[in-house]
Amino acid sequence: MLKEELDHIINDYDQFKQRINEQKQNPQILQSNSLLKQINQWEIDSIEIIQQRAQNCREIVIKTSETFIYDIETKFNDLCEQIKQIQKENEFNEINLNYLTNELIDITQELNNPSNISIQQDSESFINEISISSSRKPKWNKWKQNAIIIAAGNGYGQELYQLKSPFGIFIDRKKSILIADFHNHRIVKWKYNGKKGKIIAGGNRYGNQMDELRYPADVIVDQENHSIIIADRGNSRVIEWMNHNQQILIDDIDCHGLAIDKHGYLYVSDWKNNEVRRWKMGEYNNKGIIVAGGNGKGDQLNQLDCPTFIFVDKDQAVYISDRDNNRVMKWRKDAKKGTIVAGGNAHGENLNQLYHPQGLIVDHLGQIYVAEWGNDRVVRWCEGKKEGEIVVGGNGRGNHSNQLNHPSGLSFDAEGNLYVADEWNNRIAKFEIIL
């Protein structure tokens, strides 16, 4: 019996020795060890964290750099305007020249030495933690709460010093305002500090002839040929006016909002078919391409319900005032569905809600400005935030300088002043930026 037990021990010994030899010849077998598995998983997780943090830092650097360049360009453009004004007036002295020279030197030095951004590392941890530190904080602009009435405000009427329910507006480089005068069936141009407007399209009578308009909802300017493009909502067409000549660009479309991107594409919202379509400028002999909605009326992320005003950013992402869903949607280029970037919590007056959003602008920082037709205010939302903040209005419905009455169109001028088409007050209100 003892001999049999000894034989078993010798056999176990031989098997163990064989396993040791196998692992010596093939160390990879050790990788099945649970501790090594944990180490391997830690390595994978750590790499993913590092890659994600690196990508976040890259995005912050790119966004900060874009903002920095935008600020420099704005300062340079302001300086150019001052130089042009001095040249035009032909009255300047040595003090003026020294001022202009010093301003240009300061801008040049700021551009050449962007010292507002750096990388900080935490050397105490085994894997160095990095983050982006910027001395240039995002500038959250504010505006004076009492508006200057710069167009109309003289009651509901058809005289050149009056408006009837202004909808979309466009501010040109000379600060003239183009107004879609909805119930007057015309487009009016109101020059800077003007006492009355000038009819530049329509205004003949209510109709569908080439020189007539019917409830125009929006107007924009094609900077390439200096023509104006109009969403002739009542006639279900998009029409171009240039030097008193007219041509229909897009027919049989229930249009409301218009936008042009930097690549030369025209975007049109179709409020009945609940979609936004895009056309290459000059190529209108097709039905265009659907870039948002087009999946029937509804509140799903791939649907819209009465889209009105639209905005297109530099990446060709389309922002849409989804009016009857009380939200603003963002559809990235080629996306199959959108994301809610403002509202979407039913209609109401809380800061996490919108009530029939209309006019829409997105600034270079990605901040979203919305005219709330139902809440008589303009609000600002930052993408990813749960609620917005009141920019102007929100002081009850009325016609005082700090009040709005169903605001519709929105626009900024080159200086950042905010213009609001105060629809039921039949006026255009200007809220000056606080520098």
Side-chain angles (χ1 to χ4, degrees), residues 208-227:
N208 61 3
Q209 301 300 311
M210 287 296 290
D211 62 345
E212 296 172 333
L213 298 173
R214 184 181 178 192
Y215 300 115
D218 202 5
V219 58
I220 56 176
V221 174
D222 180 358
Q223 303 291 357
E224 292 296 320
N225 59 17
H226 305 290
S227 66

Side-chain angles (χ1 to χ4, degrees), residues 316-354:
Q316 295 182 298
V318 184
Y319 295 77
I320 307 143
S321 280
D322 193 10
R323 194 193 72 176
D324 289 354
N325 279 326
N326 300 293
R327 65 189 186 185
V328 174
M329 299 292 291
K330 177 181 179 180
W331 287 62
R332 298 185 185 276
K333 185 181 178 182
D334 301 326
K336 300 301 181 185
K337 62 181 180 179
T339 57
I340 300 171
V341 292
N345 299 300
H347 73 78
E349 61 182 18
N350 295 324
L351 290 178
N352 69 335
Q353 295 176 305
L354 295 175

Side-chain angles (χ1 to χ4, degrees), residues 389-407:
E389 60 176 334
I390 298 173
V391 174
V392 296
N395 299 304
R397 184 169 297 164
N399 61 4
H400 294 296
S401 62
N402 70 337
Q403 293 179 308
L404 298 169
N405 190 346
H406 293 86

